[in-house]
PDB file of all heavy atoms in Angstrom:
ATOM      1  N   THR A 271     208.432 244.610 102.822  1.00 93.00           N
ATOM      2  CA  THR A 271     208.555 243.879 101.556  1.00 93.00           C
ATOM      3  C   THR A 271     209.136 242.517 101.810  1.00 93.00           C
ATOM      4  O   THR A 271     209.983 242.288 102.708  1.00 93.00           O
ATOM      5  CB  THR A 271     209.465 244.641 100.568  1.00 93.00           C
ATOM      6  OG1 THR A 271     209.553 243.876  99.417  1.00 93.00           O
ATOM      7  CG2 THR A 271     210.819 244.853 101.121  1.00 93.00           C
ATOM      8  N   THR A 272     208.666 241.521 101.053  1.00 91.00           N
ATOM      9  CA  THR A 272     209.166 240.205 101.150  1.00 91.00           C
ATOM     10  C   THR A 272     210.317 240.047 100.109  1.00 91.00           C
ATOM     11  O   THR A 272     210.987 239.052 100.004  1.00 91.00           O
ATOM     12  CB  THR A 272     208.156 239.120 100.806  1.00 91.00           C
ATOM     13  OG1 THR A 272     207.532 239.416  99.572  1.00 91.00           O
ATOM     14  CG2 THR A 272     207.112 239.043 101.913  1.00 91.00           C
ATOM     15  N   LYS A 327     193.612 248.951  88.553  1.00 88.00           N
ATOM     16  CA  LYS A 327     194.408 249.653  89.496  1.00 88.00           C
ATOM     17  C   LYS A 327     194.346 251.139  89.199  1.00 88.00           C
ATOM     18  O   LYS A 327     194.574 251.569  88.053  1.00 88.00           O
ATOM     19  CB  LYS A 327     195.822 249.127  89.491  1.00 88.00           C
ATOM     20  CG  LYS A 327     195.888 247.755  90.054  1.00 88.00           C
ATOM     21  CD  LYS A 327     197.231 247.107  89.800  1.00 88.00           C
ATOM     22  CE  LYS A 327     197.198 245.665  90.282  1.00 88.00           C
ATOM     23  NZ  LYS A 327     196.097 244.860  89.685  1.00 88.00           N
ATOM     24  N   LEU A 354     196.345 248.001 100.651  1.00 87.00           N
ATOM     25  CA  LEU A 354     195.378 247.799 101.753  1.00 87.00           C
ATOM     26  C   LEU A 354     195.982 248.315 102.989  1.00 87.00           C
ATOM     27  O   LEU A 354     197.090 247.932 103.370  1.00 87.00           O
ATOM     28  CB  LEU A 354     195.097 246.304 101.868  1.00 87.00           C
ATOM     29  CG  LEU A 354     194.571 245.582 100.595  1.00 87.00           C
ATOM     30  CD1 LEU A 354     194.500 244.079 100.863  1.00 87.00           C
ATOM     31  CD2 LEU A 354     193.297 246.160 100.192  1.00 87.00           C
ATOM     32  N   TYR A 357     196.997 245.502 105.799  1.00 86.00           N
ATOM     33  CA  TYR A 357     198.154 244.615 105.729  1.00 86.00           C
ATOM     34  C   TYR A 357     199.434 245.412 105.780  1.00 86.00           C
ATOM     35  O   TYR A 357     199.598 246.458 105.178  1.00 86.00           O
ATOM     36  CB  TYR A 357     198.134 243.787 104.463  1.00 86.00           C
ATOM     37  CG  TYR A 357     199.163 242.699 104.501  1.00 86.00           C
ATOM     38  CD1 TYR A 357     199.010 241.573 105.242  1.00 86.00           C
ATOM     39  CD2 TYR A 357     200.362 242.855 103.836  1.00 86.00           C
ATOM     40  CE1 TYR A 357     199.961 240.558 105.351  1.00 86.00           C
ATOM     41  CE2 TYR A 357     201.381 241.926 103.903  1.00 86.00           C
ATOM     42  CZ  TYR A 357     201.186 240.753 104.683  1.00 86.00           C
ATOM     43  OH  TYR A 357     202.172 239.782 104.756  1.00 86.00           O
ATOM     44  N   ARG A 371     201.487 243.373  90.054  1.00 90.00           N
ATOM     45  CA  ARG A 371     200.538 244.451  90.403  1.00 90.00           C
ATOM     46  C   ARG A 371     201.181 245.782  90.146  1.00 90.00           C
ATOM     47  O   ARG A 371     200.617 246.696  89.556  1.00 90.00           O
ATOM     48  CB  ARG A 371     200.116 244.324  91.857  1.00 90.00           C
ATOM     49  CG  ARG A 371     199.392 243.025  92.157  1.00 90.00           C
ATOM     50  CD  ARG A 371     199.455 242.675  93.602  1.00 90.00           C
ATOM     51  NE  ARG A 371     200.836 242.498  94.047  1.00 90.00           N
ATOM     52  CZ  ARG A 371     201.263 242.236  95.270  1.00 90.00           C
ATOM     53  NH1 ARG A 371     200.314 242.154  96.225  1.00 90.00           N
ATOM     54  NH2 ARG A 371     202.522 242.074  95.550  1.00 90.00           N
ATOM     55  N   ARG A 444     198.946 237.629 108.028  1.00 89.00           N
ATOM     56  CA  ARG A 444     197.709 238.014 107.438  1.00 89.00           C
ATOM     57  C   ARG A 444     196.595 238.027 108.500  1.00 89.00           C
ATOM     58  O   ARG A 444     195.609 238.756 108.374  1.00 89.00           O
ATOM     59  CB  ARG A 444     197.342 236.953 106.397  1.00 89.00           C
ATOM     60  CG  ARG A 444     196.671 237.446 105.133  1.00 89.00           C
ATOM     61  CD  ARG A 444     196.253 236.245 104.311  1.00 89.00           C
ATOM     62  NE  ARG A 444     195.208 235.535 105.001  1.00 89.00           N
ATOM     63  CZ  ARG A 444     193.934 235.557 104.575  1.00 89.00           C
ATOM     64  NH1 ARG A 444     193.627 236.184 103.509  1.00 89.00           N
ATOM     65  NH2 ARG A 444     193.055 234.917 105.299  1.00 89.00           N
ATOM     66  N   ALA A 635     176.715 204.537 104.997  1.00 93.00           N
ATOM     67  CA  ALA A 635     176.559 205.043 103.657  1.00 93.00           C
ATOM     68  C   ALA A 635     177.788 205.699 103.056  1.00 93.00           C
ATOM     69  O   ALA A 635     177.900 205.804 101.808  1.00 93.00           O
ATOM     70  CB  ALA A 635     175.384 206.040 103.609  1.00 93.00           C
ATOM     71  N   PRO A 637     182.208 206.944 104.027  1.00 94.00           N
ATOM     72  CA  PRO A 637     183.278 207.210 105.063  1.00 94.00           C
ATOM     73  C   PRO A 637     183.002 208.562 105.749  1.00 94.00           C
ATOM     74  O   PRO A 637     182.443 209.457 105.122  1.00 94.00           O
ATOM     75  CB  PRO A 637     184.582 207.273 104.273  1.00 94.00           C
ATOM     76  CG  PRO A 637     184.258 206.765 102.950  1.00 94.00           C
ATOM     77  CD  PRO A 637     182.803 206.952 102.641  1.00 94.00           C
ATOM     78  N   GLU A 721     178.733 190.959 106.876  1.00 96.00           N
ATOM     79  CA  GLU A 721     179.243 189.664 106.418  1.00 96.00           C
ATOM     80  C   GLU A 721     179.123 188.637 107.478  1.00 96.00           C
ATOM     81  O   GLU A 721     178.745 187.524 107.204  1.00 96.00           O
ATOM     82  CB  GLU A 721     180.732 189.896 106.005  1.00 96.00           C
ATOM     83  CG  GLU A 721     180.882 190.506 104.632  1.00 96.00           C
ATOM     84  CD  GLU A 721     182.314 190.849 104.266  1.00 96.00           C
ATOM     85  OE1 GLU A 721     183.081 191.244 105.170  1.00 96.00           O
ATOM     86  OE2 GLU A 721     182.614 190.809 103.084  1.00 96.00           O
ATOM     87  N   ASN A 846     203.241 184.049  89.464  1.00 93.00           N
ATOM     88  CA  ASN A 846     203.153 184.669  88.140  1.00 93.00           C
ATOM     89  C   ASN A 846     204.189 184.045  87.274  1.00 93.00           C
ATOM     90  O   ASN A 846     205.422 184.100  87.611  1.00 93.00           O
ATOM     91  CB  ASN A 846     203.318 186.142  88.256  1.00 93.00           C
ATOM     92  CG  ASN A 846     203.111 186.904  86.954  1.00 93.00           C
ATOM     93  OD1 ASN A 846     202.655 186.304  85.984  1.00 93.00           O
ATOM     94  ND2 ASN A 846     203.474 188.202  86.922  1.00 93.00           N
TER      95      ASN A 846
ATOM     96  P     G B  20     177.435 207.372  92.940  1.00 62.32           P
ATOM     97  OP1   G B  20     177.726 208.790  92.925  1.00 62.32           O
ATOM     98  OP2   G B  20     178.260 206.409  92.210  1.00 62.32           O
ATOM     99  O5'   G B  20     177.235 206.880  94.426  1.00 62.32           O
ATOM    100  C5'   G B  20     176.413 207.581  95.280  1.00 62.32           C
ATOM    101  C4'   G B  20     176.408 206.917  96.643  1.00 62.32           C
ATOM    102  O4'   G B  20     175.819 205.643  96.575  1.00 62.32           O
ATOM    103  C3'   G B  20     177.821 206.698  97.249  1.00 62.32           C
ATOM    104  O3'   G B  20     178.335 207.858  97.810  1.00 62.32           O
ATOM    105  C2'   G B  20     177.459 205.611  98.278  1.00 62.32           C
ATOM    106  O2'   G B  20     176.853 206.174  99.432  1.00 62.32           O
ATOM    107  C1'   G B  20     176.432 204.748  97.529  1.00 62.32           C
ATOM    108  N9    G B  20     177.110 203.625  96.812  1.00 62.32           N
ATOM    109  C8    G B  20     177.449 203.575  95.509  1.00 62.32           C
ATOM    110  N7    G B  20     178.039 202.480  95.201  1.00 62.32           N
ATOM    111  C5    G B  20     178.013 201.712  96.374  1.00 62.32           C
ATOM    112  C6    G B  20     178.465 200.408  96.602  1.00 62.32           C
ATOM    113  O6    G B  20     179.033 199.622  95.806  1.00 62.32           O
ATOM    114  N1    G B  20     178.291 200.052  97.981  1.00 62.32           N
ATOM    115  C2    G B  20     177.682 200.874  98.852  1.00 62.32           C
ATOM    116  N2    G B  20     177.578 200.319 100.076  1.00 62.32           N
ATOM    117  N3    G B  20     177.244 202.057  98.651  1.00 62.32           N
ATOM    118  C4    G B  20     177.407 202.411  97.366  1.00 62.32           C
ATOM    119  P     A B  22     184.873 203.910 100.530  1.00 62.32           P
ATOM    120  OP1   A B  22     185.284 204.563 101.759  1.00 62.32           O
ATOM    121  OP2   A B  22     185.540 204.241  99.263  1.00 62.32           O
ATOM    122  O5'   A B  22     185.012 202.365 100.836  1.00 62.32           O
ATOM    123  C5'   A B  22     185.214 201.501  99.779  1.00 62.32           C
ATOM    124  C4'   A B  22     185.368 200.164 100.280  1.00 62.32           C
ATOM    125  O4'   A B  22     184.609 199.296  99.343  1.00 62.32           O
ATOM    126  C3'   A B  22     186.816 199.632 100.230  1.00 62.32           C
ATOM    127  O3'   A B  22     187.389 199.727 101.461  1.00 62.32           O
ATOM    128  C2'   A B  22     186.659 198.176  99.694  1.00 62.32           C
ATOM    129  O2'   A B  22     186.377 197.313 100.769  1.00 62.32           O
ATOM    130  C1'   A B  22     185.408 198.307  98.841  1.00 62.32           C
ATOM    131  N9    A B  22     185.681 198.649  97.444  1.00 62.32           N
ATOM    132  C8    A B  22     185.428 199.825  96.801  1.00 62.32           C
ATOM    133  N7    A B  22     185.744 199.842  95.524  1.00 62.32           N
ATOM    134  C5    A B  22     186.229 198.587  95.297  1.00 62.32           C
ATOM    135  C6    A B  22     186.745 197.884  94.168  1.00 62.32           C
ATOM    136  N6    A B  22     186.793 198.490  92.972  1.00 62.32           N
ATOM    137  N1    A B  22     187.127 196.636  94.336  1.00 62.32           N
ATOM    138  C2    A B  22     187.052 196.057  95.481  1.00 62.32           C
ATOM    139  N3    A B  22     186.591 196.551  96.668  1.00 62.32           N
ATOM    140  C4    A B  22     186.234 197.855  96.497  1.00 62.32           C
ATOM    141  P     U B  27     194.874 191.001  93.927  1.00 62.32           P
ATOM    142  OP1   U B  27     194.563 192.141  92.928  1.00 62.32           O
ATOM    143  OP2   U B  27     194.348 191.076  95.268  1.00 62.32           O
ATOM    144  O5'   U B  27     194.443 189.641  93.245  1.00 62.32           O
ATOM    145  C5'   U B  27     194.862 189.317  91.924  1.00 62.32           C
ATOM    146  C4'   U B  27     193.694 188.682  91.174  1.00 62.32           C
ATOM    147  O4'   U B  27     193.305 187.515  91.881  1.00 62.32           O
ATOM    148  C3'   U B  27     192.450 189.590  91.140  1.00 62.32           C
ATOM    149  O3'   U B  27     191.768 189.408  89.907  1.00 62.32           O
ATOM    150  C2'   U B  27     191.547 189.061  92.258  1.00 62.32           C
ATOM    151  O2'   U B  27     190.190 189.230  92.053  1.00 62.32           O
ATOM    152  C1'   U B  27     191.961 187.575  92.228  1.00 62.32           C
ATOM    153  N1    U B  27     191.735 186.900  93.536  1.00 62.32           N
ATOM    154  C2    U B  27     190.745 186.005  93.594  1.00 62.32           C
ATOM    155  O2    U B  27     189.989 185.706  92.645  1.00 62.32           O
ATOM    156  N3    U B  27     190.592 185.427  94.821  1.00 62.32           N
ATOM    157  C4    U B  27     191.319 185.665  95.954  1.00 62.32           C
ATOM    158  O4    U B  27     191.082 185.084  96.994  1.00 62.32           O
ATOM    159  C5    U B  27     192.354 186.647  95.835  1.00 62.32           C
ATOM    160  C6    U B  27     192.556 187.252  94.594  1.00 62.32           C
ATOM    161  P     A B  30     181.358 193.136  94.943  1.00 62.32           P
ATOM    162  OP1   A B  30     181.438 191.992  93.986  1.00 62.32           O
ATOM    163  OP2   A B  30     180.179 194.036  94.925  1.00 62.32           O
ATOM    164  O5'   A B  30     181.541 192.565  96.434  1.00 62.32           O
ATOM    165  C5'   A B  30     182.570 191.617  96.694  1.00 62.32           C
ATOM    166  C4'   A B  30     183.076 191.813  98.134  1.00 62.32           C
ATOM    167  O4'   A B  30     183.947 193.020  98.201  1.00 62.32           O
ATOM    168  C3'   A B  30     181.983 192.082  99.196  1.00 62.32           C
ATOM    169  O3'   A B  30     181.417 190.853  99.642  1.00 62.32           O
ATOM    170  C2'   A B  30     182.750 192.842 100.259  1.00 62.32           C
ATOM    171  O2'   A B  30     183.479 191.903 101.041  1.00 62.32           O
ATOM    172  C1'   A B  30     183.720 193.684  99.417  1.00 62.32           C
ATOM    173  N9    A B  30     183.198 195.010  99.082  1.00 62.32           N
ATOM    174  C8    A B  30     182.834 195.511  97.901  1.00 62.32           C
ATOM    175  N7    A B  30     182.394 196.734  97.984  1.00 62.32           N
ATOM    176  C5    A B  30     182.423 197.055  99.334  1.00 62.32           C
ATOM    177  C6    A B  30     182.074 198.222 100.033  1.00 62.32           C
ATOM    178  N6    A B  30     181.574 199.277  99.477  1.00 62.32           N
ATOM    179  N1    A B  30     182.279 198.199 101.373  1.00 62.32           N
ATOM    180  C2    A B  30     182.713 197.084 101.927  1.00 62.32           C
ATOM    181  N3    A B  30     183.100 195.906 101.310  1.00 62.32           N
ATOM    182  C4    A B  30     182.930 196.035 100.031  1.00 62.32           C
ATOM    183  P     C B  31     179.889 190.638  99.610  1.00 62.32           P
ATOM    184  OP1   C B  31     179.608 189.390 100.280  1.00 62.32           O
ATOM    185  OP2   C B  31     179.428 190.825  98.228  1.00 62.32           O
ATOM    186  O5'   C B  31     179.328 191.861 100.488  1.00 62.32           O
ATOM    187  C5'   C B  31     179.456 191.854 101.888  1.00 62.32           C
ATOM    188  C4'   C B  31     178.979 193.196 102.449  1.00 62.32           C
ATOM    189  O4'   C B  31     179.862 194.271 101.986  1.00 62.32           O
ATOM    190  C3'   C B  31     177.658 193.662 101.920  1.00 62.32           C
ATOM    191  O3'   C B  31     176.538 193.009 102.578  1.00 62.32           O
ATOM    192  C2'   C B  31     177.682 195.169 102.179  1.00 62.32           C
ATOM    193  O2'   C B  31     177.538 195.437 103.517  1.00 62.32           O
ATOM    194  C1'   C B  31     179.097 195.435 101.738  1.00 62.32           C
ATOM    195  N1    C B  31     179.221 195.786 100.317  1.00 62.32           N
ATOM    196  C2    C B  31     178.903 197.084  99.946  1.00 62.32           C
ATOM    197  O2    C B  31     178.627 197.928 100.799  1.00 62.32           O
ATOM    198  N3    C B  31     178.983 197.375  98.645  1.00 62.32           N
ATOM    199  C4    C B  31     179.303 196.452  97.727  1.00 62.32           C
ATOM    200  N4    C B  31     179.392 196.814  96.459  1.00 62.32           N
ATOM    201  C5    C B  31     179.597 195.154  98.076  1.00 62.32           C
ATOM    202  C6    C B  31     179.546 194.822  99.419  1.00 62.32           C
ATOM    203  P     C B  33     170.307 196.017 100.663  1.00 62.32           P
ATOM    204  OP1   C B  33     169.080 195.999 101.487  1.00 62.32           O
ATOM    205  OP2   C B  33     170.611 194.834  99.846  1.00 62.32           O
ATOM    206  O5'   C B  33     170.129 197.256  99.638  1.00 62.32           O
ATOM    207  C5'   C B  33     169.676 198.471 100.126  1.00 62.32           C
ATOM    208  C4'   C B  33     169.684 199.513  99.038  1.00 62.32           C
ATOM    209  O4'   C B  33     171.040 199.646  98.477  1.00 62.32           O
ATOM    210  C3'   C B  33     168.888 199.149  97.795  1.00 62.32           C
ATOM    211  O3'   C B  33     167.477 199.367  97.977  1.00 62.32           O
ATOM    212  C2'   C B  33     169.452 200.176  96.768  1.00 62.32           C
ATOM    213  O2'   C B  33     169.012 201.450  96.987  1.00 62.32           O
ATOM    214  C1'   C B  33     170.956 200.127  97.119  1.00 62.32           C
ATOM    215  N1    C B  33     171.600 199.095  96.262  1.00 62.32           N
ATOM    216  C2    C B  33     171.933 199.441  94.945  1.00 62.32           C
ATOM    217  O2    C B  33     171.608 200.574  94.583  1.00 62.32           O
ATOM    218  N3    C B  33     172.532 198.576  94.146  1.00 62.32           N
ATOM    219  C4    C B  33     172.882 197.351  94.600  1.00 62.32           C
ATOM    220  N4    C B  33     173.533 196.516  93.737  1.00 62.32           N
ATOM    221  C5    C B  33     172.580 196.922  95.901  1.00 62.32           C
ATOM    222  C6    C B  33     171.960 197.831  96.738  1.00 62.32           C
ATOM    223  P     C B  75     210.612 193.641  85.877  1.00 62.32           P
ATOM    224  OP1   C B  75     211.679 192.753  86.428  1.00 62.32           O
ATOM    225  OP2   C B  75     210.804 194.422  84.625  1.00 62.32           O
ATOM    226  O5'   C B  75     209.337 192.742  85.651  1.00 62.32           O
ATOM    227  C5'   C B  75     209.212 191.805  84.555  1.00 62.32           C
ATOM    228  C4'   C B  75     207.971 190.978  84.684  1.00 62.32           C
ATOM    229  O4'   C B  75     208.142 190.069  85.825  1.00 62.32           O
ATOM    230  C3'   C B  75     206.714 191.745  84.990  1.00 62.32           C
ATOM    231  O3'   C B  75     206.119 192.242  83.824  1.00 62.32           O
ATOM    232  C2'   C B  75     205.850 190.686  85.689  1.00 62.32           C
ATOM    233  O2'   C B  75     205.268 189.803  84.751  1.00 62.32           O
ATOM    234  C1'   C B  75     206.924 189.900  86.501  1.00 62.32           C
ATOM    235  N1    C B  75     207.031 190.435  87.854  1.00 62.32           N
ATOM    236  C2    C B  75     206.004 190.173  88.785  1.00 62.32           C
ATOM    237  O2    C B  75     205.040 189.555  88.452  1.00 62.32           O
ATOM    238  N3    C B  75     206.180 190.595  90.037  1.00 62.32           N
ATOM    239  C4    C B  75     207.224 191.306  90.438  1.00 62.32           C
ATOM    240  N4    C B  75     207.315 191.699  91.686  1.00 62.32           N
ATOM    241  C5    C B  75     208.268 191.614  89.526  1.00 62.32           C
ATOM    242  C6    C B  75     208.147 191.128  88.283  1.00 62.32           C
ATOM    243  P     A B  92     190.962 235.490 101.421  1.00 62.32           P
ATOM    244  OP1   A B  92     191.309 236.521 102.394  1.00 62.32           O
ATOM    245  OP2   A B  92     189.521 235.030 101.254  1.00 62.32           O
ATOM    246  O5'   A B  92     191.415 235.935 100.010  1.00 62.32           O
ATOM    247  C5'   A B  92     192.699 236.503  99.863  1.00 62.32           C
ATOM    248  C4'   A B  92     193.134 236.432  98.414  1.00 62.32           C
ATOM    249  O4'   A B  92     192.698 235.183  97.801  1.00 62.32           O
ATOM    250  C3'   A B  92     192.542 237.455  97.449  1.00 62.32           C
ATOM    251  O3'   A B  92     193.164 238.711  97.676  1.00 62.32           O
ATOM    252  C2'   A B  92     192.924 236.845  96.097  1.00 62.32           C
ATOM    253  O2'   A B  92     194.306 237.044  95.811  1.00 62.32           O
ATOM    254  C1'   A B  92     192.723 235.368  96.386  1.00 62.32           C
ATOM    255  N9    A B  92     191.468 234.867  95.795  1.00 62.32           N
ATOM    256  C8    A B  92     190.292 234.518  96.400  1.00 62.32           C
ATOM    257  N7    A B  92     189.330 234.161  95.620  1.00 62.32           N
ATOM    258  C5    A B  92     189.902 234.296  94.367  1.00 62.32           C
ATOM    259  C6    A B  92     189.471 234.086  93.023  1.00 62.32           C
ATOM    260  N6    A B  92     188.224 233.645  92.773  1.00 62.32           N
ATOM    261  N1    A B  92     190.300 234.337  91.997  1.00 62.32           N
ATOM    262  C2    A B  92     191.512 234.744  92.268  1.00 62.32           C
ATOM    263  N3    A B  92     192.079 234.990  93.475  1.00 62.32           N
ATOM    264  C4    A B  92     191.214 234.750  94.486  1.00 62.32           C
ATOM    265  P     C B  93     192.582 239.964  97.057  1.00 62.32           P
ATOM    266  OP1   C B  93     191.940 240.863  97.993  1.00 62.32           O
ATOM    267  OP2   C B  93     191.751 239.434  95.942  1.00 62.32           O
ATOM    268  O5'   C B  93     193.883 240.565  96.480  1.00 62.32           O
ATOM    269  C5'   C B  93     194.804 239.713  95.708  1.00 62.32           C
ATOM    270  C4'   C B  93     195.832 240.674  95.109  1.00 62.32           C
ATOM    271  O4'   C B  93     195.204 241.575  94.225  1.00 62.32           O
ATOM    272  C3'   C B  93     196.590 241.494  96.159  1.00 62.32           C
ATOM    273  O3'   C B  93     197.966 241.364  95.979  1.00 62.32           O
ATOM    274  C2'   C B  93     196.082 242.889  95.935  1.00 62.32           C
ATOM    275  O2'   C B  93     197.109 243.846  96.099  1.00 62.32           O
ATOM    276  C1'   C B  93     195.811 242.831  94.435  1.00 62.32           C
ATOM    277  N1    C B  93     194.830 243.793  93.934  1.00 62.32           N
ATOM    278  C2    C B  93     195.125 244.307  92.639  1.00 62.32           C
ATOM    279  O2    C B  93     196.079 243.922  92.024  1.00 62.32           O
ATOM    280  N3    C B  93     194.280 245.232  92.138  1.00 62.32           N
ATOM    281  C4    C B  93     193.229 245.612  92.838  1.00 62.32           C
ATOM    282  N4    C B  93     192.448 246.515  92.294  1.00 62.32           N
ATOM    283  C5    C B  93     192.910 245.106  94.130  1.00 62.32           C
ATOM    284  C6    C B  93     193.757 244.175  94.594  1.00 62.32           C
ATOM    285  P     C B  94     198.716 240.022  96.500  1.00 62.32           P
ATOM    286  OP1   C B  94     200.049 240.023  95.919  1.00 62.32           O
ATOM    287  OP2   C B  94     197.867 238.834  96.369  1.00 62.32           O
ATOM    288  O5'   C B  94     198.804 240.329  98.091  1.00 62.32           O
ATOM    289  C5'   C B  94     199.870 241.208  98.556  1.00 62.32           C
ATOM    290  C4'   C B  94     200.151 240.711 100.006  1.00 62.32           C
ATOM    291  O4'   C B  94     199.141 241.214 100.859  1.00 62.32           O
ATOM    292  C3'   C B  94     200.157 239.123 100.050  1.00 62.32           C
ATOM    293  O3'   C B  94     201.417 238.574 100.252  1.00 62.32           O
ATOM    294  C2'   C B  94     198.984 238.809 101.010  1.00 62.32           C
ATOM    295  O2'   C B  94     199.318 237.856 101.909  1.00 62.32           O
ATOM    296  C1'   C B  94     198.588 240.159 101.592  1.00 62.32           C
ATOM    297  N1    C B  94     197.138 240.309 101.682  1.00 62.32           N
ATOM    298  C2    C B  94     196.479 240.278 102.911  1.00 62.32           C
ATOM    299  O2    C B  94     197.125 240.146 103.940  1.00 62.32           O
ATOM    300  N3    C B  94     195.146 240.394 102.922  1.00 62.32           N
ATOM    301  C4    C B  94     194.442 240.620 101.822  1.00 62.32           C
ATOM    302  N4    C B  94     193.111 240.719 101.866  1.00 62.32           N
ATOM    303  C5    C B  94     195.111 240.605 100.559  1.00 62.32           C
ATOM    304  C6    C B  94     196.435 240.480 100.541  1.00 62.32           C
ATOM    305  P     A B  95     202.591 238.720 100.946  1.00 62.32           P
ATOM    306  OP1   A B  95     203.387 237.484 100.913  1.00 62.32           O
ATOM    307  OP2   A B  95     202.102 239.294 102.215  1.00 62.32           O
ATOM    308  O5'   A B  95     203.428 239.764 100.151  1.00 62.32           O
ATOM    309  C5'   A B  95     204.255 240.669 100.795  1.00 62.32           C
ATOM    310  C4'   A B  95     204.462 241.818  99.866  1.00 62.32           C
ATOM    311  O4'   A B  95     203.220 242.377  99.558  1.00 62.32           O
ATOM    312  C3'   A B  95     205.190 242.972 100.509  1.00 62.32           C
ATOM    313  O3'   A B  95     206.669 242.799 100.532  1.00 62.32           O
ATOM    314  C2'   A B  95     204.816 244.145  99.636  1.00 62.32           C
ATOM    315  O2'   A B  95     205.572 244.135  98.421  1.00 62.32           O
ATOM    316  C1'   A B  95     203.382 243.803  99.365  1.00 62.32           C
ATOM    317  N9    A B  95     202.493 244.480 100.306  1.00 62.32           N
ATOM    318  C8    A B  95     202.635 244.766 101.613  1.00 62.32           C
ATOM    319  N7    A B  95     201.623 245.413 102.174  1.00 62.32           N
ATOM    320  C5    A B  95     200.735 245.568 101.136  1.00 62.32           C
ATOM    321  C6    A B  95     199.485 246.161 101.048  1.00 62.32           C
ATOM    322  N6    A B  95     198.889 246.744 102.128  1.00 62.32           N
ATOM    323  N1    A B  95     198.821 246.147  99.839  1.00 62.32           N
ATOM    324  C2    A B  95     199.421 245.546  98.839  1.00 62.32           C
ATOM    325  N3    A B  95     200.625 244.944  98.759  1.00 62.32           N
ATOM    326  C4    A B  95     201.222 244.972  99.962  1.00 62.32           C
TER     327        A B  95
END
Side-chain angles (χ1 to χ4, degrees):
Chain A
T271 178
T272 54
K327 291 168 182 56
L354 305 173
Y357 188 78
R371 298 156 299 178
R444 218 186 67 108
E721 281 172 327
N846 187 9

